[in-house]
Amino acid sequence: MEEKKSGRLYVWMPLLSALILILGMTLGFKLRDTLRYKRDIQAIIQRNDRLEQIIDLIDERYVDTININHLYRDAVTGILSHLDPHTIYIPAEELEGVNEDLEGSFFGIGVEFYIIRDTIQVVSVVENGPAQKAGIAVGDKFIQVEDTVVAGTGITADGIISLLRGRKHTDVRIQIKDALKGQYRDVIVKRDVIPLYSIDVSLMLDTTTGYIRLSRFSATTTEEFMKAMKGLKAAGMRQLILDLRQNPGGFLEPAVTIADQFLDGDKLIVYTEGRRIPRESYNAGEQGMFEDGRLIVLVDETSASASEIVAGAVQDWDRGIVAGRRTFGKGLVQEQYNLDDGSALRLTIAKYFTPSGRSIQRSFSEGR
C-alpha cells in the first residue's frame, strides 16, 4: 500500500514542480512591471517637484512681483516648443472661442464689424438674427455696450467680441449711432445661436457647372455640403468646382464624407498612424452624389489638414484636377485633452497619409 502511494507521489512531483515554476515566473514578471511603473511614477513626481521648487523660489525670493500663473503657462509653452507647432496649449479663457469654430455655432448677436478710426462699424448682419430683429443695420456704429464705452477707447476686436457674446437668451444693451439718421439710440438685443457656416457660396456658374466654396470643416459641414450638392444637381449640374482655398481644415469626419461623394467602390481615402496609435483606414463606402462628373478642386498655400485630405484623395485616385498653388502641408492629427482648470492640450498623436502612402507634412527641419 505504501509503495502505491509513493509511486503516485513520484508521478505528480514533476507536474507540481512545473506548475510552481510557471507561477513563480508569472509573479516575477508582474512584480517587475509593477516596480518599473512605480519607478516611472517616482520619476514623474521628482520632475514635478523640481518645477514646483523653482516656481516657489521665484515667488518667495525674486526681486519683483511675478504672476505665478504666467510662469506656469510659460513653462508649458516652453515644453511644447520642442514638439510640432500644431501641438498647443489653449488657456481656459480662450478655449470657448477656439471650440466655436469647430462646433459651428456660438451665442451672440449676429453681426460682423470692422474697427475703422477707432470705431466699431457694422458691415454685415445675419439674416433673421438677434441684431436684425432689434433693428441694427449695416453702417451703424457701436458707441457703448452695457456700461463700457467702445468708441474712441482703443478697444480690440477680441474686446468687443467678449462684450457681445454671452449666455443664450440673455440681453445686452447697445448704444448705436444710426447710419442713416446719425442719431444715437439704445437697443436691447437678446443673444441667441449664431451659426458659423462652412459653405460661403453655392451657385451655378453656367447651365452645367456648379461651384461650392468651403471655408472650414466643422460639425455642420457634412449637412451643409449635402444640401448644397442636392440643390446644384437639381439645377442641372454635371461638373463641379470645389473651392478649398483659404480653408485651414478642421474635423476629419466631414473631410472623409465629402471625399466619399466623389469616389466609387471602397477606395481608400486616407489613413492615420502614430507611435502609439495603430493604423486606421478610412474608405469610401456609400454611393456618392458625384462619382462621375468632371471635378476641379481649387487649393492654395493656406489650404491645410482636412482640405489636403480631400485634395489628396482626388489627386491620388485621378478622380479630378487639383489646381492652384502648393498647399500648406499639415499632415498631422491632433486630439484635444481637457484639463482640470478649464484649459486644454491639443496634442499631435498621429500622421495621416494619402491613399498612395504620401505624408504631405511640411518639414520643420529648416525652421517653422
Side-chain angles (χ1 to χ4, degrees), residues 151-334:
T153 60
I155 194 168
T156 63
D158 288 340
I160 186 65
I161 288 172
S162 66
L163 292 173
L164 296 177
R165 293 185 181 182
R167 294 192 306 276
K168 186 178 182 180
H169 294 159
T170 56
D171 292 335
V172 56
R173 179 176 56 83
I174 306 172
Q175 185 184 66
I176 67 170
K177 183 177 181 181
D178 191 283
L180 296 177
K181 300 178 180 179
Q183 299 175 345
Y184 294 89
R185 60 189 176 92
D186 287 349
V187 294
I188 304 296
V189 185
K190 187 180 293 293
R191 298 180 178 98
D192 208 338
V193 176
I194 307 299
L196 291 172
Y197 294 112
S198 299
I199 293 181
D200 296 334
V201 180
S202 173
L203 52 81
M204 294 292 292
L205 298 178
D206 55 34
T207 56
T208 62
T209 307
Y211 172 85
I212 295 177
R213 177 175 175 82
L214 190 62
S215 61
R216 62 170 64 84
F217 288 84
S218 71
T220 62
T221 298
T222 298
E223 181 182 354
E224 292 180 52
F225 184 79
M226 296 302 191
K227 181 179 179 181
M229 287 292 290
K230 288 178 181 177
L232 293 176
K233 290 190 73 175
M237 178 184 69
R238 294 199 296 273
Q239 50 193 13
L240 172 67
I241 298 173
L242 177 61
D243 193 344
L244 298 179
R245 291 175 297 178
Q246 300 178 21
N247 185 323
F251 287 143
L252 172 64
E253 288 77 9
V256 171
T257 302
I258 288 174
D260 193 1
Q261 304 312 304
F262 307 133
L263 301 175
D264 58 12
D266 61 350
K267 289 184 171 67
L268 178 65
I269 294 172
V270 65
Y271 68 91
T272 60
E273 193 170 16
R275 183 174 65 93
R276 298 284 188 180
I277 306 296
R279 171 170 170 158
E280 184 172 3
S281 297
Y282 298 84
N283 294 70
E286 62 181 49
Q287 180 65 40
M289 296 184 66
F290 198 72
E291 293 182 354
D292 299 320
R294 294 179 61 192
L295 174 66
I296 295 178
V297 180
L298 301 181
V299 295
D300 65 9
E301 63 277 6
T302 60
S303 303
S305 190
S307 294
E308 293 171 298
I309 288 175
V310 175
V314 169
Q315 188 177 60
D316 279 10
W317 287 110
D318 200 23
R319 170 61 186 88
I321 297 172
V322 178
R325 294 187 291 275
R326 183 177 181 179
T327 57
F328 183 84
K330 181 180 180 292
L332 302 176
V333 180
Q334 282 75 46

Side-chain angles (χ1 to χ4, degrees), residues 33-192:
D33 293 340
T34 301
L35 290 175
R36 179 192 298 163
Y37 178 73
K38 287 183 177 178
R39 285 196 298 271
D40 291 345
I41 290 296
Q42 187 62 37
I44 292 171
I45 292 173
Q46 288 175 355
R47 286 194 292 267
N48 287 344
D49 286 346
R50 193 185 314 155
L51 178 61
E52 293 287 347
Q53 287 174 358
I54 292 172
I55 292 180
D56 286 346
L57 281 171
I58 293 172
D59 189 30
E60 293 176 8
R61 299 293 184 178
Y62 189 66
V63 61
D64 293 321
T65 302
I66 294 293
N67 188 315
I68 298 302
N69 288 331
H70 288 174
L71 289 183
Y72 277 108
R73 181 180 299 184
D74 291 344
V76 171
T77 302
I79 292 170
L80 299 185
S81 68
H82 295 279
L83 308 179
D84 67 277
H86 307 293
T87 291
I88 58 172
Y89 171 74
I90 308 171
E93 62 270 20
E94 299 176 15
L95 183 59
E96 183 178 359
V98 172
N99 286 338
E100 282 170 354
D101 281 344
L102 292 175
E103 294 302 327
S105 66
F106 63 92
F107 299 134
I109 68 169
V111 298
E112 292 184 2
F113 62 86
Y114 288 144
I115 299 179
I116 303 173
R117 291 188 293 276
D118 208 13
T119 302
I120 291 92
Q121 183 164 324
V122 177
V123 296
S124 176
V125 181
V126 174
E127 186 176 357
N128 294 322
Q132 188 183 71
K133 292 176 181 177
I136 295 176
V138 172
D140 288 348
K141 298 176 181 179
F142 288 3
I143 307 301
Q144 186 170 323
V145 179
E146 295 293 350
D147 297 327
T148 303
V149 176
V150 296
T153 60
I155 194 168
T156 63
D158 288 340
I160 186 65
I161 288 172
S162 66
L163 292 173
L164 296 177
R165 293 185 181 182
R167 294 192 306 276
K168 186 178 182 180
H169 294 159
T170 56
D171 292 335
V172 56
R173 179 176 56 83
I174 306 172
Q175 185 184 66
I176 67 170
K177 183 177 181 181
D178 191 283
L180 296 177
K181 300 178 180 179
Q183 299 175 345
Y184 294 89
R185 60 189 176 92
D186 287 349
V187 294
I188 304 296
V189 185
K190 187 180 293 293
R191 298 180 178 98
D192 208 338

Side-chain angles (χ1 to χ4, degrees), residues 15-28:
L15 183 58
L16 185 61
S17 299
L19 290 173
I20 293 173
L21 180 61
I22 293 171
L23 180 61
M25 292 175 64
T26 303
L27 291 174

